[in-house]
Each structure stands twice: as C-alpha cells, then as structure tokens.
C-alpha cells in the first residue's frame, strides 16, 4: 500500500469504444513523464497486450466496477479459508474495462497509433503500460523468471474498496497491491490534484514491488504464514520488520525503475503526484536522496516492543522502510553499482541454497520464535547475495550507521567483512 487515506464513494461509467485489432505489439499513446519531468502524450509500444480494449495481457488484466469489502464482523469471513477468502471479500467481481481509441497514422512512419479518446482510457492504458514497464524492470534488472509472474494479477480499476474497520465509505487516493486477492487496486482520486497515481510509473513499480515480494519472499501465499502467525503475538518484532522490508524494498525498486525511464533516476518519485497537495509531506518523508536519516531510539524501541497494529497505525513500517531504502540508495550510488544491488536484493527474496538462505527461508527457520527475526537476521539475505565485496562493504557500512544494526551481529552472521565498521553520520542509540 502506498499510504493509508480514507474518503468517499464514486460510480464510474466507461464509454464503449471502437474495437481495434489488439494483438501485441500495439502502438498506443500514453501519458508518460518526458525528459523535462512533464506528463505528456507519448507514443509507446505495448508488447504484452492481448486485448487493448479490455486491457488484458500477460502482465495484468484490468477490471472495472468491482466492490471489495473487508469487514472483520462479516460472519462469512470467520469461516473463510485461503481458497475461499477472495470470494468473501469480492462482493462484485466487476467486468472487463472498455478503453476507447481513435486510430491515427503517424506522420513519420505511416503506422497506425491508437490515441485514447477520453480521460479514463488515457488513465487505464497508461496503467497497463506502467505495469508492463515495472514487469520489465523486475525481469531485466531483477532477473525474475517469467513463471514467477503467473498467475496474471488483476488490476481493479476504480473499485469500491471498503475497509469497514476504518470507514463505511470507499477509500480513495491510493494504489494498493492486495495479496489476499493477488491483485492491484487503483482507487478513484479526490484530493490528488497532480499526476493520478496510476499515471505515476514509479508508484505502479512500487506496487509491483509488493507483488514480487509476495511471490518470492512470501512464496505467493495470499495470507503469508510468517506475517499472519507473528501478527497474532504482541509484541511482534518479526511482523513489524517484515512489513518494513516490504515497503522499503518496494520504494527502492520503484526508484530503480525510474532509472530506466526518459526522465531518469528520481529518488523523489512521489513528487509528481503529491507535491502541492494534502499529501506533499510524504514526498520528503520518502525521499531516498536524504543522506542524514538515522534509526532513532524511539523507532528501535517501537520495532521491538509494539504489536503490528500499533506499529502500522503510526506508519512505522514506512519510517523503517525508508531508512532501509535510503541506505541502499546511498550504497548503490556511491559505488556506482545500483543495478547490481537491485538484482542482488531480488535474488535474496527466495533462495533454497543452504549457505545463502533467502528471506522466505529465514522466516521459515525462525517461524516459531519471531524474536529471532532481528533486523540483522532480516537483512542478512540481502548482504549474502551481494557478491561484489566493495559493494557489500558499502551496504554493511550504511546498515551499521543509518539502521544502527550492531556490527557484531552482522560479523557473527558472516555477512559483512571485518573492515565494515559503519560510518559517522548517525549517533549510536545503544550508548
Ligand atoms: Zn507500499
């Protein structure tokens, strides 16, 4: 989830469009950030689409008109199993969207290009394109296998999404990966006045990052066993750390995906959606280029002592996640090996090699005792998957300094070289 914001409802009528031949590759115009940072109509080729009107392909399937209700007092929820829970939550499964286009010949090439004919068509085809870009980042940079992206996730476009515990009204102004449904939700916007979230490629890459984390670090479990089990205990350090890992790594990959876009690497990727609006503070809070972020004694204490409800209720998963993402950003930048680091991080999610267990494997090893899923244990797979020793040392130093992970613990785990002793930016919170 990108943030937590709750507001009121909207219905959505989508106009029926013409039905152009829609097998990939299809040339379409989308709204994309240009090299000067503005969102402008940009001609692109969709390479994974099978139905350009219904916006369905191998990276996603857009569905409109869905209604999703999460109500812990729903008696059906109490009886639900992992196999039936989606049917309980999905009150209306929705229908194929219908994008409308006007076909125009490109003046230079003479080829047909589809131009979206209305706002929702622009928004929807750009959403699909952004899923395609995110998928490409994880395949090319992350080295994720095509089979790990199956089954194809649904993207519920402008659904009614109601979290009864928070409000009886549908939520707005958010983009979410919802593992229970193995789906993305792109909610209607109300207060966001700048680029709507699905147009922001980095926001979609962040959500795609959650999909990849679920498929690998949670082994595609709709209700991840480690997270569910640990969340039932209080305090719940393991669950708190897992949530922070998921958010922080999603932000770091979202940043990584911007480096493959025409507007270039952007550590402040939320700015084009949030700046100047009610959520503008979030841009600075999640800005990965801030080199002065430090784990505080309070955040550390909260991580160890809070239950996951209190931890998340205060947005602590984002605070710790941003510390992690910033540390990775700094180490990757300073060593000039960002893509290598990004690939190592994805490799660390799931690895059955006994000498270098993945995050999923570590959670299984300590499933019965989440106090063993310390911050050092949680990040050790990332470190053990960095083969370049200079890069690994740089990441170790960032973790010791900015995340205040005791160097002795990392050395004991054998994931950091002895020469990694931290840095001088952050005050020691253990003195
Ligand atoms: Zn998120």
């Amino acid at each position: 989830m990108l943030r937590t914001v709750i507001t009121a409802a909207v219905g959505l009528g989508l106009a029926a469009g013409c039905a152009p031949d829609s097998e990939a590759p299809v040339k379409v115009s989308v709204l994309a950030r240009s090299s000067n940072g503005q969102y402008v109509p940009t001609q692109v080729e969709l390479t994974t689409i099978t139905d350009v009107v219904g916006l369905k392909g191998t990276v996603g399937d857009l569905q409109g008109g869905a209604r999703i209700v999460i109500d812990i007092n729903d008696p059906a929820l109490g009886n639900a199993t992992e196999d039936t829970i989606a049917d309980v939550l999905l009150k209306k499964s929705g229908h194929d969207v219908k994008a409308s286009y006007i076909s125009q010949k490109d003046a230079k090439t003479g080829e047909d290009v589809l131009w979206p004919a209305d706002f929702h068509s622009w928004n929807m085809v750009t959403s699909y394109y952004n899923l395609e870009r995110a998928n490409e980042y994880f395949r090319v940079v992350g080295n994720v296998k095509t089979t790990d992206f199956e089954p194809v996730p649904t993207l519920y476009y402008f659904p009614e999404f109601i979290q009864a515990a928070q409000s009886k009204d549908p939520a707005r102004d958010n983009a979410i990966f919802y593992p229970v449904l193995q789906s993305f939700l792109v909610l209607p916007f109300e207060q966001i006045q700048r680029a709507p979230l699905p147009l922001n490629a980095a926001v979609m890459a962040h959500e795609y990052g959650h999909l990849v984390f679920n498929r690998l670090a949670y082994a595609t479990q709709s209700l991840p066993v480690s997270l569910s089990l640990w969340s039932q205990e209080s305090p719940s350090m393991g669950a708190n750390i897992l949530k922070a890992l998921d958010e922080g790594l999603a932000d770091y990959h979202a940043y990584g995906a911007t480096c493959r876009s025409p507007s270039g690497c952007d550590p402040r990727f939320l700015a084009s959606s949030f700046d100047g609006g009610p959520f503008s503070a979030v841009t600075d809070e999640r800005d990965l280029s801030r080199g002065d972020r430090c784990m505080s004694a309070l955040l550390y204490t909260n991580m160890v002592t809070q239950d996951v409800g209190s931890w998340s209720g205060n947005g602590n998963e984002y605070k710790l996640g941003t510390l992690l993402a910033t540390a990775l950003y700094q180490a990757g930048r300073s060593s000039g090996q960002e893509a290598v680091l990004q690939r190592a991080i994805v490799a660390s999610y799931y690895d059955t090699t006994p000498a270098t267990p993945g995050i999923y494997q570590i959670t299984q090893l300590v499933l019965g005792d989440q106090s063993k899923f310390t911050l050092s244990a949680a990040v050790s797979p990332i470190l053990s998957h960095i083969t370049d020793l200079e890069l690994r040392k740089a990441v170790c130093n960032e973790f010791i300094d900015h995340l205040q992970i005791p160097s002795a613990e990392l050395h004991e785990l054998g994931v950091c070289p002895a020469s990694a002793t931290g840095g001088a930016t952050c005050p020691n919170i253990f003195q």
Side-chain angles (χ1 to χ4, degrees), residues 41-58:
T42 307
Q43 188 185 314
V44 302
E45 194 169 73
L46 297 177
T47 58
T48 66
I49 197 101
T50 52
D51 175 358
V52 76
V53 173
L55 290 167
K56 184 192 304 254
T58 56

PDB file of all heavy atoms in Angstrom, residues 41-58:
ATOM      1  N   PRO A  41       1.525  13.231 -23.751  1.00  0.00           N
ATOM      2  CA  PRO A  41       1.204  12.083 -24.605  1.00  0.00           C
ATOM      3  C   PRO A  41       2.474  11.575 -25.272  1.00  0.00           C
ATOM      4  O   PRO A  41       3.247  12.350 -25.840  1.00  0.00           O
ATOM      5  CB  PRO A  41       0.240  12.681 -25.638  1.00  0.00           C
ATOM      6  CG  PRO A  41      -0.376  13.852 -24.946  1.00  0.00           C
ATOM      7  CD  PRO A  41       0.743  14.429 -24.094  1.00  0.00           C
ATOM      8  N   THR A  42       2.715  10.278 -25.132  1.00  0.00           N
ATOM      9  CA  THR A  42       3.956   9.681 -25.601  1.00  0.00           C
ATOM     10  C   THR A  42       3.626   8.394 -26.351  1.00  0.00           C
ATOM     11  O   THR A  42       2.893   7.559 -25.834  1.00  0.00           O
ATOM     12  CB  THR A  42       4.859   9.334 -24.383  1.00  0.00           C
ATOM     13  OG1 THR A  42       5.012  10.507 -23.580  1.00  0.00           O
ATOM     14  CG2 THR A  42       6.210   8.825 -24.818  1.00  0.00           C
ATOM     15  N   GLN A  43       4.168   8.269 -27.545  1.00  0.00           N
ATOM     16  CA  GLN A  43       3.896   7.060 -28.328  1.00  0.00           C
ATOM     17  C   GLN A  43       4.764   5.905 -27.834  1.00  0.00           C
ATOM     18  O   GLN A  43       5.987   6.043 -27.761  1.00  0.00           O
ATOM     19  CB  GLN A  43       4.162   7.323 -29.800  1.00  0.00           C
ATOM     20  CG  GLN A  43       3.718   6.176 -30.698  1.00  0.00           C
ATOM     21  CD  GLN A  43       4.099   6.427 -32.134  1.00  0.00           C
ATOM     22  OE1 GLN A  43       3.896   7.533 -32.641  1.00  0.00           O
ATOM     23  NE2 GLN A  43       4.650   5.419 -32.780  1.00  0.00           N
ATOM     24  N   VAL A  44       4.130   4.815 -27.460  1.00  0.00           N
ATOM     25  CA  VAL A  44       4.861   3.641 -26.971  1.00  0.00           C
ATOM     26  C   VAL A  44       4.303   2.392 -27.653  1.00  0.00           C
ATOM     27  O   VAL A  44       3.281   2.452 -28.335  1.00  0.00           O
ATOM     28  CB  VAL A  44       4.742   3.486 -25.432  1.00  0.00           C
ATOM     29  CG1 VAL A  44       5.260   4.713 -24.710  1.00  0.00           C
ATOM     30  CG2 VAL A  44       3.299   3.175 -25.020  1.00  0.00           C
ATOM     31  N   GLU A  45       4.986   1.282 -27.430  1.00  0.00           N
ATOM     32  CA  GLU A  45       4.518   0.012 -27.969  1.00  0.00           C
ATOM     33  C   GLU A  45       4.207  -0.917 -26.801  1.00  0.00           C
ATOM     34  O   GLU A  45       5.061  -1.136 -25.944  1.00  0.00           O
ATOM     35  CB  GLU A  45       5.617  -0.592 -28.846  1.00  0.00           C
ATOM     36  CG  GLU A  45       5.134  -1.724 -29.705  1.00  0.00           C
ATOM     37  CD  GLU A  45       6.190  -2.093 -30.744  1.00  0.00           C
ATOM     38  OE1 GLU A  45       7.215  -2.687 -30.381  1.00  0.00           O
ATOM     39  OE2 GLU A  45       5.980  -1.755 -31.925  1.00  0.00           O
ATOM     40  N   LEU A  46       2.980  -1.413 -26.755  1.00  0.00           N
ATOM     41  CA  LEU A  46       2.641  -2.414 -25.739  1.00  0.00           C
ATOM     42  C   LEU A  46       3.054  -3.768 -26.296  1.00  0.00           C
ATOM     43  O   LEU A  46       2.602  -4.175 -27.367  1.00  0.00           O
ATOM     44  CB  LEU A  46       1.143  -2.387 -25.431  1.00  0.00           C
ATOM     45  CG  LEU A  46       0.606  -1.088 -24.818  1.00  0.00           C
ATOM     46  CD1 LEU A  46      -0.909  -1.187 -24.635  1.00  0.00           C
ATOM     47  CD2 LEU A  46       1.280  -0.783 -23.483  1.00  0.00           C
ATOM     48  N   THR A  47       3.923  -4.463 -25.566  1.00  0.00           N
ATOM     49  CA  THR A  47       4.482  -5.707 -26.099  1.00  0.00           C
ATOM     50  C   THR A  47       3.864  -6.947 -25.476  1.00  0.00           C
ATOM     51  O   THR A  47       4.149  -8.063 -25.903  1.00  0.00           O
ATOM     52  CB  THR A  47       6.009  -5.751 -25.868  1.00  0.00           C
ATOM     53  OG1 THR A  47       6.244  -5.633 -24.466  1.00  0.00           O
ATOM     54  CG2 THR A  47       6.710  -4.621 -26.594  1.00  0.00           C
ATOM     55  N   THR A  48       3.036  -6.763 -24.446  1.00  0.00           N
ATOM     56  CA  THR A  48       2.497  -7.944 -23.741  1.00  0.00           C
ATOM     57  C   THR A  48       0.979  -8.012 -23.820  1.00  0.00           C
ATOM     58  O   THR A  48       0.371  -8.869 -23.192  1.00  0.00           O
ATOM     59  CB  THR A  48       2.893  -7.908 -22.250  1.00  0.00           C
ATOM     60  OG1 THR A  48       2.238  -6.791 -21.630  1.00  0.00           O
ATOM     61  CG2 THR A  48       4.394  -7.777 -22.075  1.00  0.00           C
ATOM     62  N   ILE A  49       0.357  -7.103 -24.579  1.00  0.00           N
ATOM     63  CA  ILE A  49      -1.097  -6.991 -24.551  1.00  0.00           C
ATOM     64  C   ILE A  49      -1.749  -8.029 -25.470  1.00  0.00           C
ATOM     65  O   ILE A  49      -1.235  -8.334 -26.543  1.00  0.00           O
ATOM     66  CB  ILE A  49      -1.506  -5.547 -24.959  1.00  0.00           C
ATOM     67  CG1 ILE A  49      -2.944  -5.235 -24.548  1.00  0.00           C
ATOM     68  CG2 ILE A  49      -1.304  -5.291 -26.436  1.00  0.00           C
ATOM     69  CD1 ILE A  49      -3.027  -4.412 -23.319  1.00  0.00           C
ATOM     70  N   THR A  50      -2.854  -8.593 -25.029  1.00  0.00           N
ATOM     71  CA  THR A  50      -3.623  -9.483 -25.902  1.00  0.00           C
ATOM     72  C   THR A  50      -4.964  -8.870 -26.271  1.00  0.00           C
ATOM     73  O   THR A  50      -5.595  -9.290 -27.230  1.00  0.00           O
ATOM     74  CB  THR A  50      -3.861 -10.852 -25.228  1.00  0.00           C
ATOM     75  OG1 THR A  50      -4.419 -10.627 -23.934  1.00  0.00           O
ATOM     76  CG2 THR A  50      -2.566 -11.625 -25.090  1.00  0.00           C
ATOM     77  N   ASP A  51      -5.414  -7.876 -25.487  1.00  0.00           N
ATOM     78  CA  ASP A  51      -6.704  -7.232 -25.748  1.00  0.00           C
ATOM     79  C   ASP A  51      -6.572  -5.765 -25.333  1.00  0.00           C
ATOM     80  O   ASP A  51      -6.609  -5.443 -24.149  1.00  0.00           O
ATOM     81  CB  ASP A  51      -7.801  -7.937 -24.938  1.00  0.00           C
ATOM     82  CG  ASP A  51      -9.153  -7.244 -25.051  1.00  0.00           C
ATOM     83  OD1 ASP A  51      -9.244  -6.193 -25.727  1.00  0.00           O
ATOM     84  OD2 ASP A  51     -10.109  -7.756 -24.449  1.00  0.00           O
ATOM     85  N   VAL A  52      -6.397  -4.894 -26.314  1.00  0.00           N
ATOM     86  CA  VAL A  52      -6.090  -3.489 -25.994  1.00  0.00           C
ATOM     87  C   VAL A  52      -7.345  -2.722 -25.576  1.00  0.00           C
ATOM     88  O   VAL A  52      -7.245  -1.682 -24.917  1.00  0.00           O
ATOM     89  CB  VAL A  52      -5.354  -2.807 -27.179  1.00  0.00           C
ATOM     90  CG1 VAL A  52      -6.319  -2.464 -28.306  1.00  0.00           C
ATOM     91  CG2 VAL A  52      -4.585  -1.575 -26.730  1.00  0.00           C
ATOM     92  N   VAL A  53      -8.521  -3.223 -25.920  1.00  0.00           N
ATOM     93  CA  VAL A  53      -9.771  -2.586 -25.469  1.00  0.00           C
ATOM     94  C   VAL A  53     -10.072  -2.999 -24.021  1.00  0.00           C
ATOM     95  O   VAL A  53     -10.320  -2.162 -23.158  1.00  0.00           O
ATOM     96  CB  VAL A  53     -10.945  -2.955 -26.401  1.00  0.00           C
ATOM     97  CG1 VAL A  53     -12.271  -2.449 -25.838  1.00  0.00           C
ATOM     98  CG2 VAL A  53     -10.706  -2.370 -27.788  1.00  0.00           C
ATOM     99  N   GLY A  54      -9.992  -4.297 -23.756  1.00  0.00           N
ATOM    100  CA  GLY A  54     -10.233  -4.791 -22.396  1.00  0.00           C
ATOM    101  C   GLY A  54      -9.009  -4.658 -21.495  1.00  0.00           C
ATOM    102  O   GLY A  54      -9.067  -4.956 -20.314  1.00  0.00           O
ATOM    103  N   LEU A  55      -7.889  -4.207 -22.067  1.00  0.00           N
ATOM    104  CA  LEU A  55      -6.633  -4.035 -21.343  1.00  0.00           C
ATOM    105  C   LEU A  55      -6.271  -5.283 -20.531  1.00  0.00           C
ATOM    106  O   LEU A  55      -6.257  -5.286 -19.297  1.00  0.00           O
ATOM    107  CB  LEU A  55      -6.668  -2.754 -20.506  1.00  0.00           C
ATOM    108  CG  LEU A  55      -6.627  -1.522 -21.432  1.00  0.00           C
ATOM    109  CD1 LEU A  55      -6.979  -0.255 -20.696  1.00  0.00           C
ATOM    110  CD2 LEU A  55      -5.267  -1.379 -22.108  1.00  0.00           C
ATOM    111  N   LYS A  56      -5.993  -6.289 -21.285  1.00  0.00           N
ATOM    112  CA  LYS A  56      -5.638  -7.584 -20.724  1.00  0.00           C
ATOM    113  C   LYS A  56      -4.397  -8.086 -21.449  1.00  0.00           C
ATOM    114  O   LYS A  56      -4.285  -7.940 -22.665  1.00  0.00           O
ATOM    115  CB  LYS A  56      -6.801  -8.544 -20.991  1.00  0.00           C
ATOM    116  CG  LYS A  56      -6.670  -9.929 -20.397  1.00  0.00           C
ATOM    117  CD  LYS A  56      -7.732 -10.854 -20.989  1.00  0.00           C
ATOM    118  CE  LYS A  56      -9.151 -10.344 -20.822  1.00  0.00           C
ATOM    119  NZ  LYS A  56      -9.920 -11.060 -19.803  1.00  0.00           N
ATOM    120  N   GLY A  57      -3.466  -8.639 -20.684  1.00  0.00           N
ATOM    121  CA  GLY A  57      -2.254  -9.177 -21.286  1.00  0.00           C
ATOM    122  C   GLY A  57      -1.504 -10.001 -20.262  1.00  0.00           C
ATOM    123  O   GLY A  57      -2.061 -10.334 -19.212  1.00  0.00           O
ATOM    124  N   THR A  58      -0.242 -10.296 -20.545  1.00  0.00           N
ATOM    125  CA  THR A  58       0.477 -11.199 -19.650  1.00  0.00           C
ATOM    126  C   THR A  58       0.980 -10.511 -18.382  1.00  0.00           C
ATOM    127  O   THR A  58       1.436 -11.191 -17.462  1.00  0.00           O
ATOM    128  CB  THR A  58       1.676 -11.851 -20.373  1.00  0.00           C
ATOM    129  OG1 THR A  58       2.510 -10.815 -20.878  1.00  0.00           O
ATOM    130  CG2 THR A  58       1.223 -12.741 -21.506  1.00  0.00           C
TER     131      THR A  58
END
